[in-house]
Amino acid sequence: MADGEGDPGVFTATALPGDPRLLPTVTNALLGTRVFRDILHAAGVYSGAAGDTHRADVPSPLGLRMAAPGAAQSFALDTWTGTFSHTIQCPGYTATQQLYAHHSLVHLMASSVTIRRLDGSTHPITVQLQSLFVPQSQDLQLSSGPDFQGAHYIYGQTLVPEVEGGPRPTVHMLWTPIPQWLTLGGEERERCWQFLTAVAGSEEEAKRSYSAGLSLAAAGSLLRSHIHAWAALRRGSSVELDGPPALRQALHGCLYYLLSALPPRDSPGVPFHGISPGGLSNGTRGEDYWGHVFWDQDTWMFPNILLLHPGAARAILHYRIRTLEGAKRNAREQGYEGAKFPWESAATGREVCPEEIYGEQEIHISGDVLMAFEQYYCTTQDLKLFQEDGGWELVEAVAQYWCSRMVWSEEEQLYHIRGVMPPDEYHSQVDNSAYTNAVARRSLNFAAVLARDLLLPAPEEWEDRARKIKVPFDEERKYHPEYDGYSPGEPVKQADVVLLGFPLMHPMSAEVRRNDLEMYEPVTDPVGPAMTWSMFAVGWLELKEPQRAWSQLEKCFSNITEPFKVWVENADGSGAVNFLTGMGGFLQVILFGFTGFRCLPRKAENGKCKASPSKLL
């Protein structure tokens, strides 16, 4: 859709992007694929051990495409209905294919082809379907089972478990056979063919979902039931924005791709498996960080999800609770107490990063996880999560980790955290990363406050170490050096120190906030990760400088590809695609930057932490 034309929530094109990575995705909480692709992914289904762990490729029957030699074609991603469509227009008829991941039957994906006669002719009309589907996978040992209600059936397990002796996820798939040709009879004016694919971890669930889909299709309400569920999610997560068409299109694109990754509101019992930077549709071996979950989920996506869909935010926290035992083992193996969450996480909470340095040194991830828990608590006051569902055990374990990871400096009379990689991954093995130490301080303070709220004993050292941990500060220049020994002007990969102002809300004056922005803005890699500029924009909005904020937000648009608003991680097109992290940063500018909205804890007179009223700064 050209700027200024049509509905900002519908992206149309007459040709597809040359790079297939930039095709739009159709996803729900459990299944996802890129359109016209011959593989799909199922949430939580990984194959490969440790550094080789990746999303298992499940063969997809839904990668079919109508052949249209010489015909006029159009493509559309409708963010209002959560559907992708391909239409061919020929003399006397049109044929339209629709594809979607069903948002109430979350084990089901569906495609339909509708041929509609436009004139009074009575001859048969035939459309060819092209498909690369083969019921085989490089990651699954698959076997064929008996057909079920007209569907073919395969099942099998992943080849290699994530950890030695661990489980190998099972996949069961039923699908409607795909014919090579579809023919509208001479006496027919219009006909619709439905093609269903059900994927689940059990034969029973796959059959239940497929049968339910068949029943809805027979009643003519399969698509309608999906649109109803998707519309309910959109209504409950509505954001309206006045502004240039490109800005509104970007907003609708971000909402579509991020909301597609969330669990439906009416299925709280379905386990959630986290959100990776490229989403569920991506993450095969060698692409898009192999489908691993990073701080991207907790720091960049979570704050938006918390405001738009608190139930989904809770599901994200449950993913971290379920992987707590793996995080505790990570800490033990490095010689520390408590829980060290992995820099890259899959199904178990063990470290699955292919490169050892990140897993060992980028330890701020544990603080990022805990900050999400704090934001959730101060927004919802959901005590059950912490008292009954394992939240307190996680908070306590992260606090224990930080205490064991610190060392006391006699010279400075402060606690240090040494040998880390900050968010700026151009530097490693540094001491006292400003961001790492500030997020550790916030972790310890939250743990102490939560313990009081829950009437639980807490070690005095938590608050003592929070007070005495070093967060580097240059008294002469009035700014925060990124780490001990940082020299002004050194290149920085991405948002780092600027995160102290937001989302950490580390105490500082407006002068220091300005100095941090002005120090790091010119030295941050201009083709670095897309979420970076959003945090500079929030900073300038805090300082009441909207023009400077807009100049930073505009940089994000170089990461948004046409025509389907798929984000790339880096402006040069490298890195992850469908980069939900960048979209999360962009949405934070809308939800927190333009509005000044903050979720701030306050201490009541009795010392308890309660959610403050939402504040406009």
Side-chain angles (χ1 to χ4, degrees), residues 200-221:
S202 70
E203 179 180 358
E204 179 184 14
E205 181 56 52
K207 288 181 175 179
R208 189 196 70 79
S209 297
Y210 191 84
S211 293
L214 278 185
S215 297
L216 288 170
S221 57

Side-chain angles (χ1 to χ4, degrees), residues 219-442:
S221 57
L222 180 62
L223 175 60
R224 187 165 62 249
S225 64
H226 158 71
I227 292 175
H228 178 77
W230 174 254
L233 178 59
R234 281 296 306 259
R235 280 195 306 272
S237 308
S238 177
V239 179
E240 296 182 8
L241 178 68
D242 290 328
L247 181 63
R248 289 184 290 126
Q249 292 170 22
L251 172 63
H252 285 293
C254 290
L255 287 172
Y256 167 75
Y257 290 114
L258 187 59
L259 293 177
S260 293
L262 303 185
R265 293 178 184 270
D266 58 353
S267 58
V270 178
F272 191 62
H273 299 276
I275 309 175
S276 59
L280 183 53
S281 298
N282 299 312
T284 191
R285 179 189 272 120
E287 72 169 24
D288 302 298
Y289 301 111
W290 300 14
H292 299 164
V293 178
F294 292 70
W295 75 315
D296 304 51
Q297 168 190 263
D298 310 273
T299 299
W300 298 97
M301 305 176 209
F302 183 87
N304 307 297
I305 296 167
L306 177 59
L307 291 190
L308 299 174
H309 190 343
R314 196 181 202 275
I316 288 172
L317 301 184
H318 267 287
Y319 165 74
R320 291 301 191 182
I321 292 171
R322 286 203 319 273
T323 59
L324 177 59
E325 288 307 311
K328 288 181 176 180
R329 186 166 175 180
N330 296 335
R332 289 197 301 271
E333 289 184 352
Q334 290 192 2
Y336 301 110
E337 298 175 13
K340 177 199 172 295
F341 279 90
W343 178 239
E344 300 188 27
S345 179
T348 68
R350 300 302 310 282
E351 183 62 68
V352 294
C353 181
E355 298 177 73
E356 189 172 312
I357 187 173
Y358 298 100
E360 286 190 352
Q361 294 189 27
E362 207 148 0
I363 64 172
H364 63 82
I365 177 64
S366 293
D368 304 326
V369 169
L370 210 58
M371 186 164 64
F373 276 80
E374 180 184 6
Q375 290 169 341
Y376 177 81
Y377 176 61
C378 291
T379 303
T380 68
Q381 288 290 281
D382 177 3
L383 290 172
K384 181 177 182 296
L385 179 74
F386 298 92
Q387 293 175 322
E388 301 177 26
D389 297 342
W392 167 249
E393 287 77 6
L394 184 147
V395 172
E396 180 183 40
V398 171
Q400 292 168 343
Y401 171 73
W402 284 127
C403 288
S404 70
R405 189 62 176 79
M406 297 176 186
V407 295
W408 178 252
S409 167
E410 289 291 344
E411 179 182 354
E412 294 193 83
Q413 292 293 291
L414 294 170
Y415 284 101
H416 287 193
I417 299 178
R418 298 171 181 164
V420 305
M421 179 182 288
D424 166 24
E425 294 172 329
Y426 288 168
H427 298 92
S428 60
Q429 201 61 38
V430 303
D431 296 339
N432 296 314
S433 152
Y435 177 83
T436 303
N437 289 20
V439 81
R441 169 183 286 176
R442 182 160 172 168

